[in-house]
């Protein structure tokens, strides 16, 4: 019974890990006509690195978009979560509902007009514009999560500070921020994974090759190769995209699962 | 004495009111960034998409009002009609297979045992790989004569490499295989949170009443898990109806346009044919269907609570 459970569990684990391991192996494996003619080495990676504007550009773009999205999501959702958890103000319920309603609207439905809106704001083909859009898509989860985090903090903690003459902002900065740190890590992790990997939004909002993020650039690299596809370079590109996410997840796994148990997961 | 209280009361009330006003103003200030993002990048585009759908709106040039042309030409758009049938078929098959597999995985790792964490992590790990990266990985996995073919040839099932994306059905099921790989662990995790919220004494009671394993599952686990299963189904159905990356990247809509999803048609109308008005009209249609679906689903979920 027990042996059967371990046996099938191990077999399934291998099944789920196999495609990634295979891709990793193939990205180093030599093949005629690819960057790694024979044997085993980094040839596919150097071939891929030279594609288009150069991998450095795409890596920089992706990292910049991820950094802006994570930072922006953290700032906006911390302030918003604080407001929703601790303050009463006109329009509070409507704003909260409007934020959650983002989940109900299909990605494509909102990106078609966003293409026009960003154009009017002078943010067409801009990494900042893309990041603002990605922040918007993160807000339902992030604000919900941060509101719950603030609500879980006992009010006495900040009331003592407020009585001592602290402003609400310094109470947030000096006392509450430390108490909601697990929530912040969860929100940041979700925002990173979403922005690092997103394909549809950059595909629509970025038009200039020098602005492409990794997913769009690697897909374009495959489309550009006439005739035989350079699988080695393709697999190297997949690994560059996947490995940071896998490592980050393994390190912060507990916080990721936290996002699920809080019941705030959608999409 | 009376005059003093008469004076003091309104003063204190004013002070309290001004404090409340200040707290309210502070709250609004903290909520302001959320409000700006939601209004500028969500509500404005939401209104605009309806307006765009009522206009001849090319990527270049100024729009002209042409309601209801963008809508009346939808029934003539054969590509879109085909994509509706295809997307529904894909959604049905994916949702059934994905939920079944996710449920089996969740049940198999629900109890704490040594090593169970490793299995959970392994099943879930594909979920953190981006969907575009996963689609590219499986594109290579399927089209580069690779391990799958070797295995099948060695087992004597075929004697030549299989064309995994070559026929409409092969392309559909190869894609579904990738989607299950990518999302089974994700759905498993959702189900696990539901499973773990079932109180242990319910199981104890069932065991002391002599319930078999199947009876426990059928009459205790399944009913108590219903809200969580419903949530998983909503996520899976919504996600599948909006499928894009997997077909755009892995099958490229082929062979012969047999795997074109609805969102791919929206993309094509807007950014290949540069007709944003038409793309907006189809988007509005999709929005209405999904909101209705969500409302029905919320009703069902609400009834269960």
């Amino acid at each position: 019974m027990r042996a059967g459970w371990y046996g099938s569990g191990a077999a399934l684990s291998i099944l789920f890990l196999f495609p990634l391991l295979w891709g990793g192996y193939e990205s180093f494996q030599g093949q005629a006509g690819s960057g790694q003619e024979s044997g085993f080495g980094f040839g596919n990676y150097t071939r891929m690195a030279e594609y288009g504007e150069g991998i450095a550009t795409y890596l920089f773009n992706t990292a910049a978009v991820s950094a802006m999205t994570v930072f922006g999501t953290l700032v906006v959702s911390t302030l918003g979560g604080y407001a929703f958890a601790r303050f009463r103000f006109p329009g509070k319920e409507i704003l909260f509902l409007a934020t959650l309603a983002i989940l109900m609207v299909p990605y494509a439905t909102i990106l078609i007009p966003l293409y026009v809106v960003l154009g009017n704001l002078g943010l067409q083909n801009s990494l900042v514009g893309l990041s603002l859009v990605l922040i918007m898509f993160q807000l339902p989860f992030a604000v919900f999560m941060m509101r719950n985090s603030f609500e879980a903090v006992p009010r006495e903690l900040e009331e003592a500070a407020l009585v001592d003459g602290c402003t609400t902002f310094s109470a947030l900065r000096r006392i509450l921020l430390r108490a909601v740190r697990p929530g912040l890590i969860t929100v940041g992790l979700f925002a990173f994974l979403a922005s690092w990997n997103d394909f549809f939004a950059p595909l629509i909002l970025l038009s200039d090759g020098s602005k492409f993020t990794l997913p769009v650039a690697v897909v374009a690299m495959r489309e550009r190769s006439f005739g035989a596809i350079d699988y080695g370079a393709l697999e190297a590109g997949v690994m560059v995209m996947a490995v940071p996410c896998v490592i980050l997840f393994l390190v912060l796994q507990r916080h990721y699962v936290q996002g699920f148990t809080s019941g705030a997961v959608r999409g | 004495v009376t005059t003093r209280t008469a004076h003091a009361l309104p003063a204190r009330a004013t002070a309290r009111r001004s404090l409340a006003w200040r707290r309210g103003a502070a709250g609004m200030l903290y909520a302001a960034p959320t409000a700006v993002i939601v209004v500028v990048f969500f509500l404005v585009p939401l209104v605009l998409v309806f307006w765009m759908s009522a206009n001849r709106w090319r990527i270049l040039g100024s729009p002209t009002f042409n309601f209801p042309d963008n809508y009346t030409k939808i029934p003539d758009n054969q590509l879109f009609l085909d994509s509706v049938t295809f997307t529904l078929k894909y959604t049905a098959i994916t949702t059934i297979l994905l939920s079944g597999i996710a449920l089996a995985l969740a049940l198999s790792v629900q109890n704490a045992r040594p090593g169970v964490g490793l299995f959970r992590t392994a099943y879930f790990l594909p979920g953190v790989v981006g969907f575009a990266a996963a689609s590219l990985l499986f594109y290579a996995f399927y089209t580069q004569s690779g391990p799958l073919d070797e295995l099948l040839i060695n087992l004597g099932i075929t004697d030549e490499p299989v064309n995994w994306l070559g026929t409409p059905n092969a392309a559909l099921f190869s894609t579904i295989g990738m989607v299950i790989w990518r999302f089974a662990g994700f759905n498993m995790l959702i189900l696990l949170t539901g499973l773990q919220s079932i109180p242990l004494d319910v199981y104890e009671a069932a065991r002391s009443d002599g319930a078999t394993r199947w009876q426990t599952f059928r009459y205790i686990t399944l009913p108590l898990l219903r809200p969580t299963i419903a949530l998983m189904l909503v996520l899976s159905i919504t996600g599948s109806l909006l499928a894009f990356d997997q077909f755009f990247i892995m099958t490229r809509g082929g062979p012969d346009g047999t795997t074109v999803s609805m969102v791919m048609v929206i993309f094509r109308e807007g950014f290949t044919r540069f007709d944003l008005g038409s793309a907006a009209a189809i988007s509005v249609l999709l929005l209405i269907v999904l909101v209705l679906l969500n409302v029905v689903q919320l009703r069902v979920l609400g009834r269960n609570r």
Side-chain angles (χ1 to χ4, degrees):
Chain A
M1 192 66 216
R2 174 154 290 206
W5 182 77
Y6 278 105
S8 55
L12 278 171
S13 300
I14 292 170
L15 196 67
F16 274 101
L17 295 178
F18 181 72
L20 274 175
L21 296 174
W22 174 82
Y25 175 83
E26 286 291 317
S27 70
F28 292 106
Q29 167 84 309
Q31 201 175 24
S34 72
Q36 182 77 26
E37 285 288 338
S38 64
F40 221 66
F42 284 94
N44 290 319
Y45 285 85
T46 42
R47 169 69 60 89
M48 187 226 13
E50 288 158 4
Y51 163 77
E53 305 279 333
I55 190 92
T57 310
Y58 305 128
L59 256 178
F60 172 82
N61 292 344
T62 316
V65 168
S66 300
M68 284 190 279
T69 306
V70 170
F71 182 74
T73 306
L74 286 176
V75 170
V76 174
S77 68
T78 302
L79 296 175
Y82 188 37
F84 287 121
R86 285 292 201 259
F87 295 85
R88 262 192 292 173
F89 53 91
K92 179 177 159 177
E93 272 70 36
I94 291 187
L95 180 59
F96 193 67
L97 280 179
T99 310
L100 291 188
I102 294 173
L103 291 172
M104 277 224 197
V105 178
Y107 221 54
T109 306
I110 210 73
L111 278 168
I112 298 285
L114 266 173
Y115 175 82
V116 175
V117 170
L118 289 181
N120 289 333
L121 294 174
L123 289 172
Q124 210 157 30
N125 190 31
S126 135
L127 297 179
V128 175
L130 173 61
S131 306
L132 287 166
V133 170
L134 293 174
I135 291 171
M136 181 274 294
F137 282 122
Q138 283 303 304
L139 277 193
F141 171 72
V143 168
F144 189 84
M145 184 83 199
M146 290 319 294
R147 189 197 66 162
N148 289 358
S149 301
F150 280 110
E151 277 176 350
V153 179
R155 277 178 191 268
E156 294 79 48
L157 203 66
E158 77 209 86
E159 262 160 17
L162 290 177
V163 167
D164 285 347
C166 249
T167 62
T168 54
F169 185 71
S170 62
L172 169 68
R173 201 168 53 96
R174 296 217 202 120
I175 298 162
L176 287 172
L177 224 44
R178 195 169 315 152
V180 297
R181 228 184 74 170
L184 288 172
I185 297 177
T186 304
V187 166
L189 180 61
F190 272 72
F192 173 81
L193 290 174
S195 52
W196 180 269
N197 289 318
D198 198 75
F199 178 69
F200 198 50
L203 180 71
I204 286 186
L205 301 177
L206 304 174
S207 48
D208 183 4
S210 66
K211 292 281 173 63
F212 281 179
T213 56
L214 275 172
V216 184
V218 178
V219 169
M221 176 176 85
R222 183 196 60 176
E223 299 304 322
R224 202 75 63 80
S225 53
F226 302 104
I229 287 167
D230 187 344
Y231 284 104
L234 185 64
E235 279 137 7
V238 169
M239 285 304 124
V240 172
M241 285 188 270
V243 168
C245 300
V246 169
I247 291 173
L248 204 66
F249 170 73
L250 290 178
V251 173
L252 297 174
Q253 193 168 6
R254 200 164 48 83
H255 294 277
Y256 193 98
V257 175
Q258 201 72 48
F260 277 77
T261 38
S262 71
V265 163
R266 292 252 359 214
Chain B
V1 177
T2 33
T3 42
R4 199 179 280 168
T5 17
H7 270 109
L9 268 181
R12 208 179 298 156
T14 320
R16 208 183 302 141
R17 217 178 301 141
S18 113
L19 187 69
W21 185 86
R22 271 178 41 200
R23 291 232 4 136
M28 275 161 85
L29 207 61
Y30 293 131
T34 306
V36 170
I37 299 264
V38 169
V39 169
V40 176
F41 296 100
F42 176 61
L43 294 179
V44 167
L46 196 57
V47 174
L48 181 62
V49 76
F50 281 90
W51 175 240
M52 287 172 77
S53 75
N55 279 275
R56 194 186 126 83
W57 196 304
R58 314 290 298 184
I59 276 197
L60 298 171
S62 49
T64 48
F65 191 77
N66 73 345
F67 186 80
D69 290 4
N70 288 323
Y71 288 96
T72 50
K73 72 182 186 194
I74 291 178
D76 302 327
N77 188 338
Q78 192 57 45
L79 194 70
F80 178 66
L81 299 182
D82 291 343
S83 80
V84 173
T85 324
F86 172 73
T87 310
L88 290 176
K89 184 176 163 192
Y90 165 76
T91 301
I93 301 173
T94 305
T95 303
I96 292 169
L97 291 177
L98 193 57
S99 337
I101 291 172
L103 186 60
L105 289 179
L107 289 172
S108 80
V109 296
Q110 66 167 323
N111 297 318
R113 292 189 212 190
V116 75
L118 285 178
F119 291 161
R120 285 183 196 162
T121 304
Y123 304 161
F124 184 78
L125 205 61
V128 299
V129 177
F131 204 23
S135 303
L136 280 171
L137 177 65
F138 271 69
Y139 172 80
F141 194 58
Y142 286 134
T143 57
Q144 186 181 15
S145 63
L148 274 179
D149 292 326
E150 270 170 43
L151 183 74
L152 292 185
I153 292 169
N154 287 339
L155 289 175
I157 295 173
T158 57
D159 37 330
E160 57 187 47
V162 179
N163 199 344
W164 294 99
L165 303 175
T167 68
N169 270 330
L172 172 63
F173 282 98
S174 297
T175 308
I176 291 175
M178 184 274 288
V179 171
I180 288 173
W181 176 76
R182 169 71 171 61
F183 285 101
F186 183 87
N187 287 296
M188 173 196 78
L189 213 49
I190 294 176
L191 290 174
L192 267 182
T193 63
L195 280 171
Q196 278 162 358
S197 68
I198 300 176
L200 279 177
D201 43 352
V202 182
Y203 288 116
E204 310 255 317
R207 200 180 311 148
S208 63
D209 286 349
T212 64
R213 269 186 145 195
W214 166 251
Q215 282 171 329
T216 313
F217 174 71
R218 174 70 188 78
Y219 297 105
I220 294 177
T221 312
L222 216 49
L224 287 175
L225 203 57
R226 240 176 66 181
T228 319
I229 293 179
L231 172 69
M232 176 185 68
L233 290 178
V234 188
L235 293 179
S236 169
I237 292 171
T238 321
S240 308
L241 286 177
L242 300 177
F244 179 80
D245 292 14
Q246 60 270 53
F247 295 114
F248 187 81
I249 296 173
M250 220 176 73
T251 68
R252 297 177 174 115
D256 293 327
T258 50
T259 59
V260 175
S261 70
M262 293 193 281
V263 176
M264 276 173 81
V265 176
I266 295 179
F267 180 80
R268 180 176 169 275
E269 291 293 314
F271 299 96
T272 311
R273 300 187 56 239
F274 304 118
D275 188 347
L276 290 177
S278 169
I282 303 177
S283 303
V284 167
L285 211 63
L286 200 58
L287 169 69
I288 293 169
V289 171
L290 275 164
V291 168
L292 286 178
L293 201 76
N294 270 300
V295 169
V296 170
Q297 224 32 92
L298 284 177
R299 283 261 170 85
V300 175
L301 277 171
R303 230 197 341 256
N304 281 345
R305 286 226 174 101

